[in-house]
Amino acid sequence: MDYFLGNPNPNPAVNMAPFFSSDFEISDFLALDDVVDHHPESWSQSTETESSEKAAASSDASHGFGDATSTNNNITFDRKCESGVKRNKVEDQVSPRVTFRTRSQLEIMDDGYKWRKYGKKSVKNNPNLRNYYKCSGEGCSVKKRVERDRDDSSYVLTTYDGIHNHESPCTSYYGQMSLVHSNVWAV
DNA sequence: CGTCTTTGACCGGCGC
DNA sequence: GCGCCGGTCAAAGACG
Protein backbone atom coordinates (compact mmCIF):
# COMPACT_ATOMS: atom_id res chain seq x y z
CA MET A 1 0.00 0.00 0.00
CA ASP A 2 1.35 3.33 -0.97
CA TYR A 3 -1.33 5.83 -0.06
CA PHE A 4 -0.31 9.25 0.98
CA LEU A 5 -2.86 11.80 2.02
CA GLY A 6 -2.05 15.38 1.32
CA ASN A 7 -4.06 18.23 2.68
CA PRO A 8 -5.39 20.92 0.39
CA ASN A 9 -6.61 23.09 3.23
CA PRO A 10 -4.57 26.31 3.33
CA ASN A 11 -5.21 26.73 7.02
CA PRO A 12 -1.85 26.28 8.75
CA ALA A 13 -3.35 24.34 11.60
CA VAL A 14 -5.15 21.94 9.34
CA ASN A 15 -2.00 21.57 7.33
CA MET A 16 -0.57 19.85 10.34
CA ALA A 17 -2.99 17.03 9.77
CA PRO A 18 -1.17 13.77 9.32
CA PHE A 19 -0.41 12.48 5.88
CA PHE A 20 -0.59 8.79 6.22
CA SER A 21 1.88 6.68 4.40
CA SER A 22 2.32 2.96 3.98
CA ASP A 23 2.56 2.40 7.71
CA PHE A 24 -1.01 3.43 8.21
CA GLU A 25 -4.11 1.71 7.00
CA ILE A 26 -6.14 4.30 5.19
CA SER A 27 -9.26 2.29 5.88
CA ASP A 28 -8.69 2.71 9.58
CA PHE A 29 -8.57 6.44 9.27
CA LEU A 30 -11.62 6.66 7.09
CA ALA A 31 -13.41 4.37 9.50
CA LEU A 32 -13.38 7.24 11.92
CA ASP A 33 -16.46 8.47 10.19
CA ASP A 34 -18.25 5.59 11.80
CA VAL A 35 -17.10 6.34 15.28
CA VAL A 36 -16.82 10.09 15.16
CA ASP A 37 -17.77 11.43 18.49
CA HIS A 38 -19.76 14.61 18.61
CA HIS A 39 -21.17 14.12 22.08
CA PRO A 40 -19.75 16.05 25.00
CA GLU A 41 -20.85 13.37 27.43
CA SER A 42 -18.63 10.82 25.79
CA TRP A 43 -15.74 13.25 25.65
CA SER A 44 -15.94 13.23 29.39
CA GLN A 45 -14.73 9.66 29.34
CA SER A 46 -11.32 10.96 28.52
CA THR A 47 -9.05 12.63 30.98
CA GLU A 48 -10.37 15.75 32.59
CA THR A 49 -8.01 17.98 30.70
CA GLU A 50 -8.66 16.31 27.41
CA SER A 51 -12.39 16.47 27.80
CA SER A 52 -12.41 20.16 28.50
CA GLU A 53 -10.17 20.77 25.55
CA LYS A 54 -12.35 18.75 23.26
CA ALA A 55 -15.55 20.27 24.52
CA ALA A 56 -14.20 23.74 23.93
CA ALA A 57 -12.93 22.82 20.54
CA SER A 58 -15.97 21.00 19.28
CA SER A 59 -18.38 23.62 20.48
CA ASP A 60 -16.65 26.56 18.92
CA ALA A 61 -16.66 27.01 15.20
CA SER A 62 -15.63 30.64 15.42
CA HIS A 63 -12.05 29.53 15.72
CA GLY A 64 -12.10 29.15 12.00
CA PHE A 65 -11.01 25.56 12.17
CA GLY A 66 -14.34 24.00 12.90
CA ASP A 67 -15.15 23.02 9.39
CA ALA A 68 -16.81 19.88 8.16
CA THR A 69 -13.52 18.31 7.27
CA SER A 70 -12.24 18.39 10.75
CA THR A 71 -15.46 17.21 12.23
CA ASN A 72 -15.91 14.25 9.98
CA ASN A 73 -12.40 13.08 10.53
CA ASN A 74 -12.75 13.35 14.28
CA ILE A 75 -10.31 16.20 14.47
CA THR A 76 -10.81 18.71 17.22
CA PHE A 77 -9.36 22.14 17.59
CA ASP A 78 -8.22 23.16 20.97
CA ARG A 79 -8.53 26.74 22.18
CA LYS A 80 -6.80 26.02 25.42
CA CYS A 81 -4.17 28.69 24.90
CA GLU A 82 -6.59 31.28 23.65
CA SER A 83 -8.97 30.75 26.51
CA GLY A 84 -6.17 31.48 28.92
CA VAL A 85 -6.54 28.21 30.78
CA LYS A 86 -2.98 27.26 30.15
CA ARG A 87 -0.25 28.54 27.91
CA ASN A 88 3.04 27.21 26.84
CA LYS A 89 5.54 28.82 29.13
CA VAL A 90 7.97 29.69 26.35
CA GLU A 91 5.36 30.97 23.97
CA ASP A 92 3.52 34.21 24.53
CA GLN A 93 1.85 33.97 21.19
CA VAL A 94 -1.26 31.95 20.68
CA SER A 95 -0.47 28.61 19.18
CA PRO A 96 -3.19 26.51 17.61
CA ARG A 97 -3.67 23.06 18.98
CA VAL A 98 -5.21 20.29 16.99
CA THR A 99 -6.20 16.91 18.33
CA PHE A 100 -6.70 13.87 16.13
CA ARG A 101 -8.32 10.70 17.30
CA THR A 102 -7.39 7.94 14.93
CA ARG A 103 -7.67 4.19 15.01
CA SER A 104 -4.31 2.67 14.36
CA GLN A 105 -2.09 -0.12 15.52
CA LEU A 106 0.80 2.28 15.24
CA GLU A 107 1.31 5.14 17.61
CA ILE A 108 3.67 6.90 15.26
CA MET A 109 2.09 7.96 12.01
CA ASP A 110 4.08 9.43 9.19
CA ASP A 111 2.76 12.97 8.79
CA GLY A 112 5.57 14.09 6.55
CA TYR A 113 7.51 15.91 9.22
CA LYS A 114 10.50 14.75 11.14
CA TRP A 115 9.96 14.49 14.89
CA ARG A 116 12.32 14.11 17.79
CA LYS A 117 11.03 12.41 20.89
CA TYR A 118 11.88 14.32 24.03
CA GLY A 119 9.75 12.83 26.74
CA LYS A 120 7.46 10.09 27.85
CA LYS A 121 5.13 10.29 30.81
CA SER A 122 2.41 8.31 32.42
CA VAL A 123 -0.51 10.62 33.04
CA LYS A 124 -3.31 10.47 35.52
CA ASN A 125 -6.53 8.78 34.39
CA ASN A 126 -4.76 7.04 31.55
CA PRO A 127 -2.83 3.79 32.00
CA ASN A 128 -1.14 4.38 28.65
CA LEU A 129 2.03 6.40 28.37
CA ARG A 130 2.02 9.79 26.70
CA ASN A 131 4.86 10.54 24.31
CA TYR A 132 6.16 14.03 23.57
CA TYR A 133 7.71 15.03 20.26
CA LYS A 134 9.25 18.18 18.84
CA CYS A 135 9.58 18.97 15.17
CA SER A 136 13.18 18.54 14.07
CA GLY A 137 12.91 21.38 11.61
CA GLU A 138 15.38 24.19 12.18
CA GLY A 139 13.77 26.88 14.30
CA CYS A 140 10.47 25.05 14.26
CA SER A 141 8.89 24.78 17.69
CA VAL A 142 5.90 22.63 16.82
CA LYS A 143 5.22 19.90 19.33
CA LYS A 144 2.95 16.95 19.40
CA ARG A 145 1.72 14.56 22.04
CA VAL A 146 0.79 11.01 21.26
CA GLU A 147 -1.12 8.75 23.57
CA ARG A 148 -3.51 5.86 23.34
CA ASP A 149 -7.11 6.48 24.18
CA ARG A 150 -7.78 5.62 27.77
CA ASP A 151 -11.03 3.85 27.01
CA ASP A 152 -10.08 2.15 23.78
CA SER A 153 -6.39 1.54 23.25
CA SER A 154 -7.00 0.85 19.57
CA TYR A 155 -7.36 4.61 19.15
CA VAL A 156 -4.49 7.05 19.20
CA LEU A 157 -4.87 10.64 20.34
CA THR A 158 -2.39 12.90 18.60
CA THR A 159 -2.23 16.54 19.62
CA TYR A 160 -0.32 19.01 17.45
CA ASP A 161 0.70 22.22 19.12
CA GLY A 162 1.90 25.12 17.00
CA ILE A 163 2.47 25.94 13.37
CA HIS A 164 5.35 24.68 11.30
CA ASN A 165 7.59 27.43 9.96
CA HIS A 166 8.59 25.26 7.05
CA GLU A 167 7.05 22.91 4.58
CA SER A 168 6.90 19.21 5.05
CA PRO A 169 10.04 17.56 3.68
CA CYS A 170 7.70 15.38 1.65
CA THR A 171 5.54 18.18 0.26
CA SER A 172 7.33 18.59 -3.03
CA TYR A 173 7.68 14.89 -3.65
CA TYR A 174 4.11 14.07 -2.84
CA GLY A 175 2.57 17.23 -4.22
CA GLN A 176 0.85 15.39 -7.01
CA MET A 177 -0.47 12.73 -4.68
CA SER A 178 -1.84 15.40 -2.41
CA LEU A 179 -3.90 16.75 -5.22
CA VAL A 180 -5.09 13.29 -6.16
CA HIS A 181 -6.30 12.57 -2.66
CA SER A 182 -7.60 16.02 -1.86
CA ASN A 183 -11.18 14.84 -1.92
CA VAL A 184 -10.54 12.57 1.03
CA TRP A 185 -10.56 15.59 3.30
CA ALA A 186 -13.96 16.64 2.11
CA VAL A 187 -15.60 13.31 2.95
C1' DC B 1 30.42 9.67 14.77
C1' DG B 2 26.06 11.76 14.40
C1' DT B 3 21.37 11.15 15.47
C1' DC B 4 17.76 9.46 18.12
C1' DT B 5 15.54 7.31 22.25
C1' DT B 6 15.23 6.52 27.03
C1' DT B 7 14.46 7.99 31.55
C1' DG B 8 15.06 10.21 35.95
C1' DA B 9 15.27 14.85 37.51
C1' DC B 10 13.61 19.23 37.46
C1' DC B 11 10.32 23.11 36.96
C1' DG B 12 6.06 25.73 37.08
C1' DG B 13 1.05 25.89 37.61
C1' DC B 14 -2.66 24.80 40.36
C1' DG B 15 -5.62 23.28 44.19
C1' DC B 16 -5.98 22.66 48.99
C1' DG C 1 3.51 26.30 52.06
C1' DC C 2 2.95 21.76 50.35
C1' DG C 3 1.96 18.13 47.29
C1' DC C 4 0.29 16.65 42.86
C1' DC C 5 0.57 16.75 38.07
C1' DG C 6 1.86 17.73 33.28
C1' DG C 7 5.52 19.23 30.56
C1' DT C 8 10.48 19.75 29.60
C1' DC C 9 15.44 19.06 30.11
C1' DA C 10 19.59 16.70 29.57
C1' DA C 11 22.84 12.93 30.33
C1' DA C 12 23.60 8.38 28.95
C1' DG C 13 23.04 4.68 26.04
C1' DA C 14 21.54 2.53 21.59
C1' DC C 15 21.73 2.35 16.85
C1' DG C 16 22.91 2.76 11.95
Side-chain angles (χ1 to χ4, degrees), chain A residues 4-5 17-24 106 108-115 144 160 168 170 174:
Chain A
F4 189 92
L5 303 187
F19 315 156
F20 302 111
S21 65
S22 57
D23 290 335
F24 187 85
L106 302 174
I108 305 303
M109 292 172 285
D110 184 2
D111 56 8
Y113 291 93
K114 195 175 180 180
W115 300 93
K144 73 172 179 180
Y160 291 84
S168 163
C170 299
Y174 288 103

Side-chain angles (χ1 to χ4, degrees), chain A residues 9 11-14 16 57 60-71 75-79 82 95-98 163:
Chain A
N9 194 323
N11 186 306
V14 177
M16 294 186 295
D60 189 350
S62 66
H63 193 234
F65 300 153
D67 56 17
T69 301
S70 60
T71 302
I75 300 167
T76 60
F77 300 98
D78 177 27
R79 298 194 60 195
E82 294 180 24
S95 61
R97 180 172 292 177
V98 188
I163 301 174

Side-chain angles (χ1 to χ4, degrees), chain A residues 13-179:
Chain A
V14 177
N15 269 332
M16 294 186 295
F19 315 156
F20 302 111
S21 65
S22 57
D23 290 335
F24 187 85
E25 285 294 332
I26 187 171
S27 56
D28 284 347
F29 182 70
L30 295 177
L32 286 168
D33 220 12
D34 299 328
V35 298
V36 63
D37 191 348
H38 302 298
H39 307 293
E41 61 271 23
S42 51
W43 283 122
S44 66
Q45 294 174 2
S46 304
T47 65
E48 295 172 8
T49 303
E50 290 281 337
S51 63
S52 62
E53 291 175 5
K54 288 166 181 171
S58 60
S59 63
D60 189 350
S62 66
H63 193 234
F65 300 153
D67 56 17
T69 301
S70 60
T71 302
N72 287 338
N73 287 313
N74 209 17
I75 300 167
T76 60
F77 300 98
D78 177 27
R79 298 194 60 195
K80 193 174 181 179
C81 293
E82 294 180 24
S83 63
V85 175
K86 200 169 186 179
R87 184 182 290 248
N88 189 313
K89 62 183 177 184
V90 296
E91 293 176 352
D92 283 333
Q93 294 183 344
V94 170
S95 61
R97 180 172 292 177
V98 188
T99 300
F100 300 89
R101 185 170 180 266
T102 56
R103 189 171 67 186
S104 172
Q105 301 285 352
L106 302 174
E107 292 188 17
I108 305 303
M109 292 172 285
D110 184 2
D111 56 8
Y113 291 93
K114 195 175 180 180
W115 300 93
R116 171 189 289 269
K117 190 175 186 175
Y118 68 91
K120 182 171 66 176
K121 289 276 290 189
S122 61
V123 294
K124 195 180 179 183
N125 295 329
N126 192 340
N128 304 308
L129 294 174
R130 174 181 291 173
N131 296 293
Y132 298 89
Y133 299 87
K134 279 181 183 175
C135 180
S136 296
E138 191 174 353
C140 184
S141 60
V142 176
K143 298 167 190 173
K144 73 172 179 180
R145 299 194 309 244
V146 179
E147 63 188 303
R148 292 227 164 251
D149 192 303
R150 184 190 66 161
D151 299 311
D152 187 347
S153 60
S154 66
Y155 288 90
V156 177
L157 297 174
T158 304
T159 302
Y160 291 84
D161 198 346
I163 301 174
H164 290 282
N165 65 357
H166 57 95
E167 288 189 348
S168 163
C170 299
T171 298
S172 57
Y173 181 80
Y174 288 103
Q176 291 297 103
M177 290 295 287
S178 297
L179 291 173

